[in-house]
Amino acid sequence: QVQLVESGGGLVTAGDSLRLSCAASGRTFSSYAMGWFRQAPGKEREFVSAISWGGGNTHYADSVKGRFTISRDNAKNTVYLQMNSLKPEDTAVYYCAAGRVFGTLTPRDYDYWGQGTQVTVAS
């Protein structure tokens, strides 16, 4: 069992940066690949980024490539999403998720989810 808690969301202006954190409980954090997803009002949940168990491999959605960076610290049971050059279209609730398969874009492939953190980017 893994419990995930996101933090770091907020209201920013276009061009600003935010760093999201996702703290995981449990001793098996390093055995899970981690992902970030987001969901805007009226839209389906979409893949943002993923990182492999040891952090050596990462994957990004085209919409955030070059602006967002995912990382993890297994000693701290935490995964991060550094978001730079934010745009109004990045506005959404951001969720972290843990799963056994690295890089899958499908939400149902992830086993555990956090409650989400709101990111709002004003123009």
Side-chain angles (χ1 to χ4, degrees):
Q1 189 81 0
V2 177
Q3 293 185 329
L4 304 172
V5 179
E6 302 97 334
S7 61
L11 172 63
V12 297
T13 303
D16 285 351
S17 298
L18 277 176
R19 188 176 81 154
L20 305 183
S21 299
C22 173
S25 65
R27 300 178 181 179
T28 60
F29 176 73
S30 60
S31 66
Y32 286 91
M34 299 297 295
W36 284 97
F37 287 75
R38 65 187 182 187
Q39 188 166 18
K43 295 187 177 181
E44 293 188 352
R45 192 166 298 190
E46 67 170 355
F47 171 82
V48 175
S49 183
I51 190 165
S52 59
W53 307 267
N57 292 288
T58 58
H59 184 55
Y60 298 93
D62 287 343
S63 59
V64 306
K65 201 171 294 183
R67 300 188 298 123
F68 291 10
T69 303
I70 191 171
S71 62
R72 68 188 295 165
D73 185 338
N74 286 343
K76 295 182 178 180
N77 281 11
T78 303
V79 62
Y80 305 96
L81 185 68
Q82 177 67 43
M83 307 186 294
N84 298 331
S85 303
L86 283 162
K87 305 175 181 180
E89 50 264 44
D90 293 319
T91 295
V93 177
Y94 283 71
Y95 300 89
C96 70
R100 296 293 189 180
V101 180
F102 163 65
T104 175
L105 277 60
T106 306
R108 66 174 179 268
D109 289 337
Y110 289 81
D111 301 315
Y112 302 101
W113 291 84
Q115 82 290 347
T117 185
Q118 176 71 46
V119 172
T120 303
V121 185
S123 57

